[in-house]
Amino acid sequence: MSNKANRQETGRRWSLGVCIFGLLISMAALPAYGQEIHQLSYNNSNWADQGLGGVTPAGGDQGLTSYITTPNNQSHVYYLTGGASGHVHELFFNGSTWGDQDLTVLSGGPAAMGTVTGFSVGNFQYVYYFNQKGAVHLHQLLYNNASWVDSDLTVLSKAKVSANNIGGLVAFTTSPALHVYYKQQGGIGDIHQIYSTDGKTWQDQDLTSLTAGKQPTSLWTGFNIGNLQYVYFLGDNLDLHQLFYNNSTWSDTDVTVASNTPQPVTSPVAAFVVPGTKKIHVFFRALEVGHIWQLSSNGGAKWTGTDITKKTKAPVPDPSSSIAAYVTTPNNEAHVFYTAGSHVYQFFQPTATTWSNEDLTVSGNGALTKSFTPLSGFSVQNLQYVFYVSQ
């Protein structure tokens, strides 16, 4: 090759190198879009998707909870940030825009990790989480209609055991009593309840010991019907179990055996009661094939099971899929949400005996979901809201 040809080739390579370097610099200058909490909303006609802003949420399939306060009908979404100093954050909608606030800073509470849950009573807001460092305690963040206050419920209840901050967390109110359920620290630790009848004095109760029930490996979900209380967990026999309080005593029921259904995978379970009835529905992913099943009972005695993935010929959930579920009123229609192929899907019941499936990411022109995204949601009559974390 001639010197002239060598110079031309060298020039081309130098120009190409400059272009690549310039491209890399320009790419570095582009804004980085991190993971973000999104809302899928249904306005009684169409689904729509919206990014809500805030800071980057932590991972984990139970790190997101949401509810609405009344009578102002204001939406609230609570989540945790990651790292060595995780904080509890709140996204809230004031009627026109979404805002984000750091509840750990506002309350002076400790760093958080694991999971977050809560509920509202009027405009009073209750949020529960675990501290991150030292002995793991259960904490309450309370918005008293003026400011956020942090309380260490483990200290207030004089509980003698530490919590497992990745073992699940369930909370609800039987009004005026407050109930929070957690798993004791350890590979297989008992399920405990910290409760208060007046919101000021707290007690700790070992429900596994009281029922002589199965040891839990994961605590999942729960709800109440008046003062009747229902809590669901995975037992060390890998079956789905129900702890039930009948207003007098606690009992443990193996609902996998009672319903003659497959064992669940180790992942979240969703459950609700149809308003105004004692009809209970529990949804889980089966270890076999990974289908989503519905367990049904009238009051928690006799149980039946339905493979709704098979029934609707729907996409099989991602192995990392969470589950969320609620009932719309007054039609009492069940809605169950999960992820498949980084899309959010829903099962819903057009009639009492039929199920349908819909890709909400397509319907709402939504973003792709992060792996292991938590799912949460609620309905206001037939208006529906579902929250997830985008890629």
Side-chain angles (χ1 to χ4, degrees):
M1 183 180 290
S2 68
N3 287 337
K4 181 178 180 181
N6 278 328
R7 287 194 299 272
Q8 290 174 336
E9 179 64 21
T10 301
R12 281 194 296 269
R13 290 176 179 174
W14 185 86
S15 297
L16 179 60
V18 169
C19 290
I20 293 174
F21 179 74
L23 177 62
L24 291 174
I25 292 295
S26 65
M27 288 176 66
L30 291 173
Y33 293 99
Q35 296 158 356
E36 182 183 15
I37 293 176
H38 278 243
Q39 172 188 261
L40 282 163
S41 59
Y42 180 71
N43 63 3
N44 214 16
S45 177
N46 300 298
W47 284 94
D49 184 89
Q50 178 185 7
L52 304 185
V55 297
T56 303
D61 52 17
Q62 292 182 302
L64 186 67
T65 193
S66 60
Y67 53 71
I68 193 164
T69 51
T70 56
N72 59 3
N73 287 336
Q74 189 176 79
S75 298
H76 302 265
V77 184
Y78 304 90
Y79 66 99
L80 305 180
T81 60
S85 58
H87 283 196
V88 182
H89 276 249
E90 174 194 27
L91 286 162
F92 61 95
F93 185 64
N94 63 11
S96 58
T97 60
W98 283 89
D100 182 273
Q101 56 184 359
D102 187 328
L103 303 188
T104 300
V105 169
L106 291 175
S107 67
M113 73 172 296
T115 185
V116 62
T117 191
F119 53 83
S120 65
V121 180
N123 198 43
F124 280 68
Q125 299 163 51
Y126 299 82
V127 179
Y128 300 93
Y129 71 99
F130 299 116
N131 68 287
Q132 185 176 126
K133 298 176 182 177
V136 179
H137 287 192
L138 174 63
H139 282 255
Q140 173 187 267
L141 288 168
L142 167 63
Y143 181 70
N144 58 15
N145 218 14
S147 60
W148 284 95
V149 179
D150 181 87
S151 299
D152 187 328
L153 301 189
T154 300
V155 170
L156 292 177
S157 66
K158 297 181 174 60
K160 297 180 180 179
V161 299
S162 291
N164 185 333
N165 54 18
I166 57 173
L169 190 58
V170 175
F172 50 75
T173 177
T174 55
S175 191
L178 309 174
H179 307 266
V180 192
Y181 306 87
Y182 69 99
K183 182 177 173 293
Q184 180 181 333
Q185 197 170 50
I188 297 179
D190 290 1
I191 290 178
H192 282 248
Q193 172 189 203
I194 289 182
Y195 68 97
S196 173
T197 57
D198 58 9
K200 298 177 182 178
T201 56
W202 293 85
Q203 300 179 63
D204 181 83
Q205 192 175 42
D206 187 329
L207 302 186
T208 302
S209 293
L210 283 177
T211 60
K214 279 291 181 181
Q215 292 287 321
T217 59
S218 300
L219 174 62
W220 280 327
T221 191
F223 57 84
N224 66 293
I225 306 174
N227 202 43
L228 305 180
Q229 299 164 49
Y230 302 81
V231 178
Y232 298 91
F233 68 94
L234 181 71
D236 59 5
N237 62 349
L238 302 183
D239 284 359
L240 176 60
H241 283 253
Q242 172 188 268
L243 286 171
F244 170 52
Y245 180 69
N246 64 3
N247 211 17
S248 175
T249 58
W250 283 93
S251 61
D252 178 294
T253 300
D254 187 325
V255 293
T256 298
V257 170
S259 61
N260 192 29
T261 53
Q263 291 181 321
V265 296
T266 306
S267 68
V269 167
F272 58 72
V273 59
V274 177
T277 75
K278 292 185 179 180
K279 294 179 181 178
I280 297 170
H281 298 288
V282 182
F283 303 92
F284 70 94
R285 284 194 299 121
L287 185 62
E288 178 186 338
V289 189
H291 287 190
I292 291 181
W293 281 71
Q294 174 189 244
L295 300 179
S296 300
S297 176
N298 192 2
K302 183 179 179 180
W303 290 87
T304 59
T306 303
D307 183 340
I308 53 179
T309 299
K310 181 179 180 180
K311 194 177 184 68
T312 60
K313 300 179 181 178
V316 175
D318 293 330
S320 61
S321 180
S322 182
I323 301 177
Y326 53 67
V327 182
T328 52
T329 56
N331 58 3
N332 286 348
E333 185 174 277
H335 297 264
V336 185
F337 305 91
Y338 70 99
T339 61
S342 298
H343 283 208
V344 178
Y345 284 82
Q346 76 154 328
F347 293 110
F348 63 98
Q349 282 188 294
T351 71
T353 58
T354 60
W355 283 93
S356 294
N357 184 271
E358 182 181 8
D359 185 334
L360 301 188
T361 301
V362 170
S363 299
N365 193 29
L368 295 178
T369 67
K370 173 191 172 185
S371 295
F372 296 98
T373 177
L375 294 173
S376 182
F378 56 82
S379 64
V380 181
Q381 294 182 334
N382 200 42
L383 302 178
Q384 301 175 51
Y385 305 89
V386 181
F387 304 94
Y388 68 94
V389 180
S390 66
Q391 291 183 3

